């Protein structure tokens, strides 16, 4: 076997952790040990982990701040849902979801690309401002739009459902203004979500290790030096940002195919949701992909589990945030973790050799 | 035909007219110095030549090709390397990773390896520290790394922006000796410096920039004896 580099080992550990997490959850589900409340959290925590991985590519690897990743999730959610609702009766589940997924991801990638063209050529924190505005605009448009189909084709309106002029017998409402999209088939499940998380991780890990990835990280480190070593700065910024948006879009597809009514509410797709994603990334460690997964999972599940504690909920949540911060960033903790983990892996290797 | 020919270059930063009809040329094999006080426009000139800033008028001809509009990253494969001002190394990466990125536009692995050996020969300290994170290098070592990284692209011409900045006199001498050696081994050098004495001591020719204009040019030795230069730049 070829000798693995430290980075490759670390990547494999991340993937293995996700698989273990999946298997443990499956065992708990099969044996009936998992409450239905907790079961209901599995898909969301996985898609938030996916979105956090996508955002970390933008913030940690590329070094550009985005405050609109919830907006990208929104694009992925709505575009895929529109497709699924329209083809609900025409297509069987598997090809329908695959196509919906491709459409959701492609639409998000396209929008990420279009936003990137004017913004990423500039230097400075323009991306944060533009993505923040973008997310809000998307959310507000989707709250106002009415869309339906009948045998004459697609109907759109910004006023109300009646003004779409849908044919009474063949017409079908798709987006009902602020009431959103009802009846998206619940095609996503925990297994699919985990597979998409694994694929996203593999994509980001491979990108980081590739020549392209080194170019992207060199831009983060020093733009002028990157340009003067012959790296096409704009191209690589666009590449990383588009992939990052597309991954958030994939999370959005899972989102909308996991709930029956999809609405463009602020708590899911507004700037506060984008900031929540940013919190996952920062607390998991900027540029640390594995950290994003762990932080997203813990920080998503925790407030849900603490619902019973009522007034102490936010207190405990805040304490956990602080503890995670210390664990991730204090030099002593980093040292401890490195020693501890290296001992562990040495022992592991010895045992494997025996 | 000169290797690099800059004609009537004008650059604006918004309302500021930073370069006014700057013209100069660099012949193959020369060391040409561009000297001037703070804010004279030296960095602006280099950045325009290397495609980081766009000129508002004028032309830049490199190897008989008009490169005025070419973006920076396309000039590196044509053999033009830039050592930016202020030791811009990739601070979070190791010395070796920095050097490898210097060869970013090259494909041939064996040749890259050869260049790496050459850089290590020129800068033994970089070899000793090849796995050290670049941000933790001393100022002088970072300057060496920035130069080494530029050499990794196997340039025909290397443009250096104030390599002496913030270095002790001993290190300045060391760096300038290396610049001379690099030039002897066949690389043309365009050197931007505030340290006029040092720059003129190794240059063949020099241009003097004042508030965005070339006010004087000529043989480096002659400029060294020029009354005006001695007063304004050599502190005599
Ligand atoms: N990005 C910018 N925006 C506006 N003005 C600028 C910018 N960069 C440089 N300038 C102005 O252009 C002029 C020339 O600056 P430049 O950096 O080229 O000088 P320099 O000769 O390299 O000086 P130094 O020796 O201090 O590095 C200065 O007046 C400076 O203030
Ligand atoms: Mg300067």
């Amino acid at each position: 076997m070829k000798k693995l580099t430290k980075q490759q080992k670390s990547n494999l550990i991340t993937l293995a952790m996700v698989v273990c997490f999946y298997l443990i959850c499956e065992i708990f589900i099969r044996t009936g040990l998992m409450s239905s409340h907790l079961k209901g959290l599995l898909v969301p925590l996985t898609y938030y982990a996916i979105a956090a991985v996508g955002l970390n590519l933008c913030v940690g690897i590329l070094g550009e701040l985005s405050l609109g990743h919830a907006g990208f999730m929104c694009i992925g959610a709505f575009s895929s849902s529109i497709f699924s609702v329209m083809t609900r009766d025409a297509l069987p589940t598997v090809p329908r979801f695959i196509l919906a997924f491709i459409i959701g991801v492609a639409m998000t990638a396209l929008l990420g690309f279009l936003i990137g063209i004017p913004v990423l050529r500039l230097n400075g924190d323009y991306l944060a401002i533009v993505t923040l505005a973008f997310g809000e605009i998307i959310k507000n448009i989707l709250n106002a739009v009415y869309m339906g189909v009948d045998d004459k084709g697609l109907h759109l309106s910004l006023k109300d459902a009646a003004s779409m002029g849908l044919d009474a017998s063949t017409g079908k409402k798709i987006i009902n203004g602020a009431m959103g999209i009802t009846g998206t088939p619940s095609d996503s499940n925990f297994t699919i979500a985990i597979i998409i998380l694994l694929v996203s991780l593999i994509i980001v890990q491979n990108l980081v290790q590739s020549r392209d990835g080194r170019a992207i990280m060199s831009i983060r480190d020093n733009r002028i030096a990157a340009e003067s070593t012959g790296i096409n700065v704009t191209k690589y910024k666009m590449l990383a940002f588009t992939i990052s948006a597309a991954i958030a879009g994939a999370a959005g597809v899972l989102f909308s195919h996991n709930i029956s009514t999809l609405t463009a509410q602020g708590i899911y797709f507004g700037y506060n949701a984008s900031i929540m994603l940013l919190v996952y990334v920062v607390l998991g460690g900027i540029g640390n992909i594995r950290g994003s997964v762990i932080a997203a999972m813990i920080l998503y599940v925790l407030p849900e589990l603490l619902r019973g504690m009522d007034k102490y909920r936010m207190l405990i949540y805040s304490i956990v945030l602080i503890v995670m911060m210390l664990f991730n960033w204090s030099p002593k903790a980093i040292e401890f973790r490195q020693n501890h983990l290296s001992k562990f892996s040495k022992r592991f290797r010895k045992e494997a050799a025996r | 035909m000169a290797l690099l020919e800059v004609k009537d270059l004008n650059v604006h930063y918004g309302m500021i007219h930073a370069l006014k009809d700057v013209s100069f040329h660099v012949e193959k094999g020369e060391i040409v110095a561009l000297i001037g006080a703070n804010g004279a426009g030296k960095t602006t000139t280099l950045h325009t030549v290397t495609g980081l800033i766009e000129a508002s008028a004028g032309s830049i001809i490199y190897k008989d090709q008009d490169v005025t509009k070419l973006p920076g990253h396309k000039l590196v494969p044509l053999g033009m390397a830039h050592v930016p001002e202020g030791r811009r190394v990739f601070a979070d990466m190791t010395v070796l990773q920095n050097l490898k990125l210097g060869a970013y536009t090259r494909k041939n692995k064996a040749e890259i390896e050869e260049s790496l050996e050459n850089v290590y020969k020129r800068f033994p300290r970089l070899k000793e520290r090849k796995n050290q994170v670049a941000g933790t290098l001393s100022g002088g070592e970072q300057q060496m790394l920035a130069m080494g990284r530029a050499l990794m692209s196997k340039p025909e011409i290397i443009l250096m922006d104030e390599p002496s900045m913030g270095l002790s006199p001993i290190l300045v001498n060391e760096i300038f000796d290396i610049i001379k050696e690099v030039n002897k081994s066949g690389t043309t050098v365009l050197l931007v410096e505030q340290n006029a004495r040092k720059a003129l001591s190794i240059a063949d020719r020099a241009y003097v920039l004042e508030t965005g204009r070339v006010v004087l040019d000529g043989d480096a030795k002659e400029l060294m004896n020029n009354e005006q230069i001695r007063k304004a730049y050599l502190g005599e």
Side-chain angles (χ1 to χ4, degrees):
Chain A
M1 204 171 81
K2 231 176 68 187
K3 233 178 132 193
L4 297 174
T5 64
K6 217 166 121 193
Q7 184 65 47
Q8 284 167 324
K9 242 182 259 165
S10 157
N11 289 346
L12 284 179
I13 290 174
T14 309
L15 298 178
M17 273 171 52
V18 172
V19 172
C20 285
F21 169 75
Y22 172 74
L23 292 177
I24 290 168
C25 288
E26 280 295 309
I27 290 169
F28 274 82
I29 294 169
R30 298 276 157 88
T31 52
L33 285 170
M34 192 176 284
S35 71
S36 65
H37 177 210
L38 206 54
K39 242 191 299 189
L41 299 179
L42 290 178
V43 177
L45 75 83
T46 312
Y47 60 64
Y48 280 122
I50 294 169
V53 168
L55 181 59
N56 206 347
L57 173 59
C58 179
V59 176
I61 308 298
L62 176 62
E64 292 275 346
L65 187 57
S66 162
L67 294 176
H69 264 57
F72 290 127
M73 275 183 78
C74 190
I75 302 278
F78 273 81
S79 55
S80 61
S81 250
I82 290 169
F83 176 81
S84 289
V85 170
M86 280 169 71
T87 56
R88 188 176 181 135
D89 307 317
L91 285 176
T93 310
V94 175
R96 184 180 64 212
F97 183 71
I98 290 175
L99 284 172
F101 183 79
I102 292 171
I103 287 171
V105 172
M107 280 298 289
T108 324
L110 179 68
L111 268 146
F113 183 78
L114 291 177
I115 291 173
I117 290 173
V119 181
L120 291 174
R121 285 167 43 208
L122 307 171
N123 309 307
D125 290 332
Y126 300 104
L127 189 70
I129 299 160
V130 172
T131 47
L132 177 68
F134 158 79
E136 291 304 293
I137 291 168
I138 288 296
K139 187 193 74 185
N140 289 329
I141 290 177
L142 286 170
N143 266 316
V145 84
Y146 293 83
M147 185 176 137
V149 277
D150 59 16
D151 48 3
K152 286 198 226 45
L154 218 55
H155 296 254
L156 279 173
S157 163
L158 287 170
K159 221 162 100 221
D160 52 38
S163 61
M164 283 191 294
L166 280 182
D167 190 287
S169 55
T170 60
K172 191 159 104 180
K173 260 189 264 175
I174 298 175
I175 306 179
N176 195 5
M179 318 255 274
I181 301 179
T182 10
T184 307
S186 40
D187 289 342
S188 71
N189 59 42
F190 185 44
T191 309
I192 292 174
I194 286 287
I195 291 171
I196 294 173
L197 173 59
L198 289 172
V199 171
S200 309
L201 281 169
I202 291 169
I203 289 173
V204 174
Q205 287 171 347
N206 277 324
L207 178 67
V208 168
Q209 281 199 332
S210 69
R211 188 177 129 90
D212 292 343
R214 283 191 297 277
I216 292 166
M217 288 184 284
S218 76
I219 298 168
R220 170 193 69 189
D221 270 15
N222 201 316
R223 193 191 64 87
I224 291 193
E227 181 91 41
S228 60
T229 45
I231 288 162
N232 186 341
V233 170
T234 308
K235 177 182 129 190
Y236 281 114
K237 279 183 169 181
M238 292 293 296
L239 178 74
F241 184 66
T242 306
I243 295 175
S244 166
I247 291 174
V253 176
L254 290 169
F255 182 106
S256 65
H257 288 75
N258 188 51
I259 49 170
S260 52
T261 305
L262 173 68
T263 54
Q265 285 179 58
I267 53 159
Y268 298 128
F269 300 126
Y271 64 90
N272 31 10
S274 292
I275 287 172
M276 180 189 76
L277 290 176
L278 196 62
V279 169
Y280 298 161
V281 169
V282 172
L283 286 178
I286 291 175
N288 179 347
I289 302 296
R290 186 197 301 162
S292 292
V293 176
I294 298 171
M297 288 184 166
I298 293 177
L299 293 178
Y300 177 76
V301 170
L302 195 73
E304 295 289 335
L305 292 185
L306 293 176
R307 266 185 205 290
M309 321 257 321
D310 202 27
K311 8 180 216 215
Y312 299 110
R313 186 170 150 223
M314 284 329 282
L315 178 69
I316 296 176
Y317 187 67
S318 317
I319 291 172
V320 170
L321 287 186
I322 294 167
V323 169
M324 278 183 81
M325 194 70 148
L326 289 176
F327 182 74
N328 262 327
W329 293 109
S330 90
K332 278 266 183 302
I334 291 173
E335 199 181 311
F336 170 82
R337 210 167 35 194
Q338 275 170 352
N339 291 340
H340 202 72
L341 283 182
S342 70
K343 246 183 253 153
F344 175 78
S345 66
K346 256 183 226 142
R347 198 166 59 205
F348 183 77
R349 240 175 296 153
K350 256 189 229 145
E351 261 159 41
R354 251 190 278 152
Chain B
M1 192 66 195
L3 182 63
L4 176 67
E5 172 105 48
V6 172
K7 268 200 232 120
D8 299 327
L9 203 61
N10 280 274
V11 173
H12 289 84
Y13 293 111
M15 298 284 289
I16 301 170
H17 196 172
L19 293 188
K20 298 155 197 155
D21 295 328
V22 168
S23 297
F24 64 92
H25 64 98
V26 182
E27 301 290 334
K28 201 168 160 51
E30 275 188 314
I31 299 184
V32 172
L34 211 58
I35 58 179
N38 284 114
K42 305 181 298 293
T43 299
T44 305
T45 307
L46 274 204
H47 279 193
T48 316
V49 171
T50 55
L52 298 179
I53 314 180
E54 232 177 273
S56 36
S59 67
I60 303 163
I61 312 289
Y62 171 65
K63 291 205 278 188
D64 300 329
Q65 187 182 342
D66 187 344
V67 297
T68 318
K69 293 265 177 287
L70 228 51
H73 60 89
K74 291 205 175 137
L75 283 161
V76 182
L78 296 180
M80 186 188 286
H82 176 198
V83 184
E85 186 177 42
R87 312 180 191 115
R88 293 179 177 268
V89 298
F90 301 120
D92 289 343
M93 301 187 191
T94 65
V95 168
L96 182 61
Q97 284 170 329
N98 266 271
L99 291 174
K100 286 205 166 148
L101 270 168
Y104 182 77
T105 53
R106 298 171 62 191
K107 295 274 154 8
N108 188 324
K109 283 234 169 73
E111 281 181 27
I112 293 174
E113 206 51 46
E114 195 189 314
S115 295
L116 188 63
E117 282 313 310
N118 284 335
V119 169
Y120 281 156
K121 237 182 264 159
R122 208 151 254 155
F123 303 100
R125 279 198 229 185
L126 294 184
K127 186 168 189 178
E128 289 160 24
R129 291 174 164 71
K130 64 179 174 195
N131 292 319
Q132 191 172 330
V133 174
T136 63
L137 293 175
S138 77
E141 288 158 358
Q142 290 191 14
Q143 184 60 49
M144 291 178 188
L145 180 56
M147 286 169 62
R149 192 184 57 207
L151 290 173
M152 286 298 290
S153 68
K154 213 174 182 190
E156 285 171 57
I157 183 167
I158 187 162
L159 290 74
M160 286 190 239
D161 200 344
E162 305 218 22
S164 76
M165 186 160 58
L167 300 185
S168 71
I170 297 175
L171 261 179
V172 172
N173 286 341
E174 200 176 315
I175 295 276
F176 274 72
D177 284 344
I178 294 168
I179 296 174
K180 257 197 311 206
E181 280 168 31
V182 166
N183 176 253
K184 279 219 186 82
S185 65
T187 311
T188 309
V189 176
L190 176 60
L191 177 64
V192 158
E193 260 300 339
Q194 271 197 55
N195 187 338
R197 185 186 300 276
K198 258 315 202 188
L200 290 176
S201 76
I202 67 163
D204 299 304
R205 291 185 305 112
Y207 293 81
V208 182
L209 269 181
E210 256 171 39
T211 57
R213 265 182 223 285
V214 176
V215 293
L216 208 59
D217 71 273
D219 183 86
K221 301 280 164 317
E222 282 168 22
L223 285 177
M224 193 86 107
N225 295 318
N226 181 308
E227 196 64 25
Q228 222 181 319
I229 300 282
R230 295 181 81 97
K231 275 214 181 98
Y233 298 103
L234 303 177
E236 288 177 8

